[in-house]
Amino acid sequence: MADLDHSSDDTSVDSREESSQDSKVEFSEDEETLIARMYNLIGERWSLIAGRIPGRTAEEIEKYWTTRYSTSSE
């Protein structure tokens, strides 16, 4: 039974590591500046913004924006 408990502990640790990586996407200063400038020009058109940043998806950029600039008054 100790083996079963241990394997379930490993699974929960793996899940926490994956979710923490998913929740925090790192952007360079240049990327952050470009996202802010593009947002001011075209708004929430994440796919267009992502098209200007190689290797980034619209979902990553939207998640970055909402976690960094969202207001709690909504």
Side-chain angles (χ1 to χ4, degrees):
M1 286 191 138
D3 290 337
L4 292 175
D5 291 338
H6 180 67
S7 64
S8 65
D9 288 343
D10 287 346
T11 303
S12 63
V13 169
D14 291 342
S15 297
R16 282 193 304 260
E17 287 176 5
E18 288 176 15
S19 65
S20 67
Q21 289 174 355
D22 290 341
S23 65
K24 182 72 172 165
V25 178
E26 296 294 325
F27 284 83
S28 71
E29 188 175 333
D30 288 341
E31 288 174 322
E32 291 178 6
T33 301
L34 182 57
I35 292 167
R37 293 179 70 195
M38 292 291 292
Y39 181 85
N40 288 330
L41 289 171
I42 62 174
E44 295 182 355
R45 298 175 72 185
W46 307 119
S47 60
L48 290 178
I49 296 171
R52 300 287 181 209
I53 304 174
R56 296 295 186 180
T57 65
E59 291 80 16
E60 285 178 315
I61 292 170
E62 181 178 9
K63 187 174 189 176
Y64 161 79
W65 187 265
T66 55
T67 56
R68 178 120 185 203
Y69 294 105
S70 67
T71 60
S72 58
S73 62
E74 291 181 16

